[in-house]
Structures are given as C-alpha cells and as structure tokens.
Amino acid sequence: MAIGQLRPSSTGSEVCDMVAIKWLMHCVANHPICRTPEEETLWLPSRLIDVGSPWNNSGPRLVISSDLNLRHIKPLYTCLSHRWSDENMLKLSASNIDTLKREIPLESLSPTFRDALQVTRKLGARYLWIDSLCILQDSLKDWHAESVEMGKVYNHSLCNIAANASSDIGGGLFQERETRFITPYKLRIVFSGHDETYCFFRANMWCAYITDATLNKRGWVFQERMLSPRTLHYSHQLFWECQTLQACETFPAGLPGGLNDFADHNDAWLPITLKNWRDIGQLWDWGDAIQIYSNCRLTNLEDRLIAIAGIAKEVQPYLKDEYLAGLWKKDLPHNLLWSLVNVSDRAVEKPMTYRCPSWSWASLDFDYADIEFVPPGNIEDTLVSILDARVKSTSGDIFGHLCGGYVELEGRIDQIFSANFPNPGPWLSNHPSYEFRLDVEGNTTDECLYCLPIVIYNQGRSPGHNYPSLITCLLLRPETPEVQTFVRVGTLDVSLDMEVILPLELQWIVDFSRTDRASRFGLSTIMIY
C-alpha cells in the first residue's frame, strides 16, 4: 500500500488478510532466525483445535495431538492471546471433552474465538491453540502439567494471533476504524527558501496500540508475545512482530528508523520487542524482561512465577545458567538486592501460601510495580561469598511450582534495631546517610533485625552532581534462633562517605566495607530461606 492510499475500513477486510499473509510468507521464506529449531519441529501441545481444511465445511473440533498421524511432518498451528472474561464462556472440562472432540459448536464460541478460527485457516494452518479450550479448566493436575509447558506451546507455533483491540473475549478480532488516522500522507512545505516533502503519521502508534495495549499489560500474555516466533496483532490496524521485522499497515515494509524503542513511564528506554532473546549475539537482559513483566497484571497473584516459567525454561539453554525462582545464579549476590518502586495503590503483602524463597522478588504480592536491581556494571566490591543456592519443586521441575529453597552465603552479619532510627537518616549534600526499605511496610519496624552487607556500588554521576557510593545490605529476620537461618524483610542503603552523621550502631557497616577482603574478620555462614 502506497503513501496516501487509504487503508480499508475494517481489519477483517480481504486487503488486510493479504497483508497478514504476505508478512507471514515473507518471514517463513526469508527470516532464518525466526524459524523453529530443526531438532524440535515435531513437538506439539497436548491438545489442539482442528479448524478444518479450506475445502470442506466441517466444524472445528478438539484433537489429542498424540492421536495425530504426523508422518515426520509437523502440522502447523497458531495460538490466540486474549483477555479472559467473567462471562459464561465455553471452557474445556472433564464433562465436555468427549463432546468437543466430536465438534465444537460455532454458536458456543465468542466472536474473538470464531475470528481466530477464520484467521488460522487464511494463514494456512490446520490447528489452533486456545488456553481455555486446550487445558482442562476443572483439573488442577492438568493445569500444573500444561502451565509449565506454556512456553513451548508459543515457541513452537507458526504464529501468535493477538486480540489487542478486543476488551474481552466477546469483542472480536476485527475492528472498524477511521482510515485517515492510519494512512500516511506526504506534504510539501515551501517557505522562505525551504522546499521539502515530508511524510506525516502518528509517531507513537506502536507504543499506544501495542506496548500500552490492555492485552499486553496482562502477565500471561507477556510470555506469549515474547516466546512466539511471530505475532500478528489485531488492533485499530494490523501490526506484525517477529525477530526480523516490526511493521504495520501504515508501514507494511517496516517501521521507520527511530521507532525501534519506547520510553516507559520512568523514561527508561526499552526495546519495542523482546523476540530476539534467541540471538545470543544480543546483549539480552533478564532485568529488562522482569522490568516489563512486573508492570503487567495478573488475575491470580499466585501465578507470579508460573506465568514467566516458560520464558525461563526456554532461555536457560542460551544463558547456560541455573534458574532460581525468578533470578539466575550468575547474578547473585547483587540481584538479591532487588527493590519494588512505583508500586500500585494496592499494598504489598506476603502471600498466605508458600510460593518461593523470601529472597526472590516473586515472594511478594503486588498488582504491578517496577523492580530495581543493582546495576552490575556499577559494583565496586562484593562483600559476601555465595556458597550454594538451590530451589526445590513439588514435581522436581525447578521451573514449576516450588516448595522450598535457600541461598547459603559467607559474610558479616550483625543486629540492628530499625525502630531506633528515623528513616531516611540525616542528609548531607542532598543525600541521606542511610535508608531502610522494608518489603512489607509496617510489619517489622519494632523487631530486632539483622544486617548483611552485600555490595558497594557507585550510583553514577551527572553533570555538576556526584552521587555517593552506597553499601547495600539485606535486612533479615531470624527464622530459627539456634542457627544462622533467616528470611529477607528488606534492604538497607548506607552512604559510604558520611560517617560524620551516621549513627554509631551503623558505623560497623562502613568499617567492614573498607577492610581489605583478605583481612575481613567476623565472617559467618548464613542461610536465607
């Protein structure tokens, strides 16, 4: 489509169908890094929806993948990303699975599901995966088994279909729109010797309709979008996202230069897509992924770890590291010092049932927040040694549901009474001398806590302003008085060069941090659960 040529009035038009098919065919034929690894091409989800072939009128039905005659050729399937609704939608259950294997009545499906069937056929795929129809919704056992495979479901799909513009499952994929707002125009400006032709379009359309879409603010959808090799977004216009190309109807050949990043609400620049996690040549940052994910919402907060388990499981062979409840072993000890900032209005709480060790950011309940880690490039010294770190799963799968875990460290630990100090501490040169950050406010202010210095890091410099180096410590509560076992309750930052105004009870932290590593004394072995 040329500049100035009006786009069709509906995303369900034949013109839009052809744009989507062209994107997919071009990607499959010409984007080698977007293809599924050869050795795993025969993997399929446990269940799929057979959408039927283009040359017959048979209705959709549920199929068991192990019953398919593959003949060494993998059937193509798409996935659907959608928002769940409280409406009485059709769900797979033990009571209707045999009926749905015979046929899924079209009238029982929402407009979004029916549209997804239609798009799947047009893209040339025979099968479709929808979570509510391919996982038994009344079986906790089936949910546990299928949820940890969710990453593979999307990773091995042909394409992910995202219902961005649909407010819930009933809204439908296809949208009517005002075509003038998605059609780019050329304008020649002649003024005072200036004569140039410009192209006018909405510059922030990816951020407005993809990044900030309600669908993409859902926790489960984060891994669906990231792991699928290709995503076809149905918004006010079609958007295409793969490792090689990000495009839309306005710019079907690719977004113009300068639109490949977006600024979040903290003005931190993040990539518009994380699909390039497979490219080990990229400086892929787990912290960037967690930063985006932690700002997504979850209906069930107990899914905090499970909803990114698929990502962790798929990236682990590339990172070649040990996964530890939302963290990676190579990032210890500094990533033990995470903190929640810009938290939603809902108070941060500890869950009623065990989810993971206290040293993981996923051990807390919150609607959405920014998770800040200590920048590894700014670390001047590490004050502890990691002796061991493990997590324990109920199923033996460390990416699944956890029932225990610990970090064993060697370092200097001592008691402090946080209730004795104002928070933050006295200020000097516009910086506090210390600052306590409790994970759950108000629960531990009267307790005797323990302080474990972890790292010294430089906060950086800006023109005309120097920031003091900080000693960042874990705040711990004893779990069993007889032995050195603790749980995390927060962090403590102590400014390195402010002894003159630092309380005497905290002076040992500065003294210890300035001791040569070989001369440090009073070290203990500590277990944090």
Side-chain angles (χ1 to χ4, degrees):
M1 291 182 284
I3 292 177
Q5 178 183 349
L6 281 176
R7 276 47 177 169
S9 60
S10 170
T11 55
S13 68
E14 289 187 10
V15 173
C16 287
D17 290 342
M18 293 306 298
V19 170
I21 292 169
K22 185 176 180 180
W23 280 331
L24 177 62
M25 292 180 64
H26 182 74
C27 180
V28 170
N30 300 297
H31 297 168
I33 64 173
C34 297
R35 296 171 191 157
T36 304
E38 285 295 324
E39 65 271 16
E40 296 182 345
T41 52
L42 290 181
W43 188 90
L44 288 173
S46 301
R47 306 178 188 95
L48 290 164
I49 299 167
D50 185 346
V51 303
S53 58
W55 53 83
N56 66 44
N57 295 320
S58 60
R61 64 187 182 93
L62 186 72
V63 296
I64 309 301
S65 298
S66 59
D67 294 339
L68 297 176
N69 185 9
L70 299 182
R71 297 179 183 174
H72 306 291
I73 299 175
K74 176 185 174 179
L76 299 178
Y77 71 92
T78 64
C79 297
L80 177 67
S81 289
H82 66 98
R83 292 181 64 198
W84 281 57
S85 170
D86 293 331
E87 296 176 7
N88 187 27
M89 68 174 184
L90 180 65
K91 301 173 186 175
L92 181 65
S93 66
S95 61
N96 67 10
I97 185 170
D98 289 334
T99 301
L100 299 186
K101 284 167 68 175
R102 289 190 293 271
E103 185 174 8
I104 302 175
L106 285 176
E107 62 274 12
S108 68
L109 297 176
S110 71
T112 299
F113 288 7
R114 291 198 297 269
D115 291 347
L117 294 172
Q118 181 179 330
V119 171
T120 298
R121 290 192 195 100
K122 289 180 177 179
L123 293 179
R126 178 67 184 262
Y127 301 97
L128 169 65
W129 191 90
I130 301 176
D131 48 8
S132 56
L133 292 175
C134 294
I135 300 176
L136 288 169
Q137 301 300 311
D138 57 354
S139 169
L140 190 60
K141 180 180 178 181
D142 195 61
W143 161 248
H144 282 169
E146 296 296 324
S147 61
V148 296
E149 296 292 338
M150 208 85 79
K152 292 184 77 171
V153 170
Y154 286 88
N155 192 11
H156 293 276
S157 67
L158 172 68
C159 183
N160 182 35
I161 301 165
N164 288 65
S166 177
S167 59
D168 54 43
I169 64 160
L173 283 182
F174 309 135
Q175 302 292 315
E176 300 293 322
R177 71 270 181 92
E178 174 52 69
T179 58
R180 291 176 299 170
F181 296 133
I182 64 172
T183 302
Y185 293 94
K186 285 183 178 179
L187 179 65
R188 182 183 178 190
I189 297 178
V190 180
F191 180 75
S192 297
H194 180 88
D195 188 349
E196 293 287 348
T197 300
Y198 297 89
C199 179
F200 286 84
F201 59 93
R202 179 169 181 173
N204 67 338
M205 56 186 153
W206 188 281
C207 190
Y209 295 107
I210 302 301
T211 303
D212 290 339
T214 303
L215 176 69
N216 289 327
K217 293 298 183 182
R218 304 303 303 170
W220 280 101
V221 173
F222 176 72
Q223 77 168 2
E224 296 169 9
R225 179 183 166 199
M226 178 174 165
L227 293 179
S228 54
R230 309 164 187 90
T231 299
L232 179 60
H233 299 273
Y234 277 83
S235 184
H236 79 301
Q237 63 171 306
L238 298 190
F239 289 82
W240 176 262
E241 181 182 6
C242 67
Q243 290 188 71
T244 310
L245 177 70
Q246 291 83 54
C248 59
E249 289 177 73
T250 303
F251 295 103
L255 298 182
L259 297 184
N260 294 323
D261 299 282
F262 72 91
D264 69 3
H265 59 278
N266 293 320
D267 291 326
W269 286 93
L270 298 169
I272 62 173
T273 181
L274 289 175
K275 287 189 183 293
N276 63 356
W277 62 265
R278 298 171 179 83
D279 184 358
I280 58 175
Q282 296 286 334
L283 294 176
W284 191 84
D285 191 338
W286 178 257
D288 282 352
I290 295 302
Q291 174 77 319
I292 300 172
Y293 173 69
S294 65
N295 276 281
C296 295
R297 281 67 163 173
L298 288 164
T299 302
N300 300 311
L301 295 180
E302 61 267 25
D303 292 343
R304 181 76 64 192
L305 266 182
I306 285 295
I308 59 160
I311 297 176
K313 184 176 284 191
E314 294 300 320
V315 304
Q316 190 275 333
Y318 295 84
L319 297 181
K320 295 180 174 61
D321 197 10
E322 186 174 344
Y323 183 64
L324 298 166
L327 304 175
W328 296 94
K329 194 170 185 177
K330 69 176 176 60
D331 295 327
L332 304 184
H334 61 273
N335 271 6
L336 297 174
L337 298 168
W338 51 266
S339 57
L340 301 185
V341 296
N342 300 318
V343 185
S344 60
D345 293 337
R346 171 177 173 162
V348 178
E349 299 174 336
K350 277 284 188 183
M352 299 296 293
T353 57
Y354 184 86
R355 181 181 305 147
C356 61
S358 65
W359 39 261
S360 169
W361 53 268
S363 65
L364 300 176
D365 276 348
F366 55 91
D367 281 342
Y368 58 91
D370 291 323
I371 298 178
E372 290 187 349
F373 296 101
V374 173
N378 291 21
I379 294 174
E380 298 175 354
D381 197 4
T382 300
L383 305 175
V384 296
S385 299
I386 298 292
L387 304 179
D388 196 10
R390 299 177 186 275
V391 291
K392 183 180 180 181
S393 168
T394 52
S395 64
D397 182 356
I398 62 169
F399 300 96
H401 297 268
L402 301 180
C403 59
Y406 65 86
V407 170
E408 184 179 14
L409 312 92
E410 183 182 61
R412 173 76 186 277
I413 191 168
D414 211 338
Q415 287 181 306
I416 59 170
F417 292 87
S418 59
N420 292 349
F421 307 112
N423 190 39
W427 290 63
L428 183 65
S429 301
N430 297 317
H431 298 287
S433 54
Y434 65 84
E435 186 172 5
F436 290 90
R437 291 190 180 92
L438 298 177
D439 294 339
V440 179
E441 291 293 339
N443 285 357
T444 58
T445 52
D446 296 328
E447 292 185 47
C448 171
L449 301 178
Y450 284 75
C451 175
L452 177 65
I454 302 292
V455 299
I456 304 171
Y457 83 97
N458 192 312
Q459 298 181 84
R461 292 173 175 82
S462 59
H465 198 97
N466 289 335
Y467 297 91
S469 293
L470 294 180
I471 309 160
T472 303
C473 316
L474 281 178
L475 288 176
L476 306 172
R477 187 183 69 235
E479 188 173 61
T480 46
E482 311 83 47
V483 292
Q484 297 279 62
T485 59
F486 301 87
V487 293
R488 171 186 154 136
V489 295
T491 60
L492 168 65
D493 286 338
V494 177
S495 294
L496 187 58
D497 299 314
M498 295 190 186
E499 295 99 323
V500 65
I501 59 173
L502 197 65
L504 287 175
E505 193 174 348
L506 300 181
Q507 286 282 353
W508 71 269
I509 299 172
V510 175
D511 294 340
F512 173 72
S513 70
R514 285 184 169 157
T515 306
D516 179 78
R517 181 173 300 191
S519 306
R520 288 171 186 163
F521 61 92
L523 302 181
S524 303
T525 299
I526 303 113
M527 303 282 285
I528 308 175
Y529 290 93

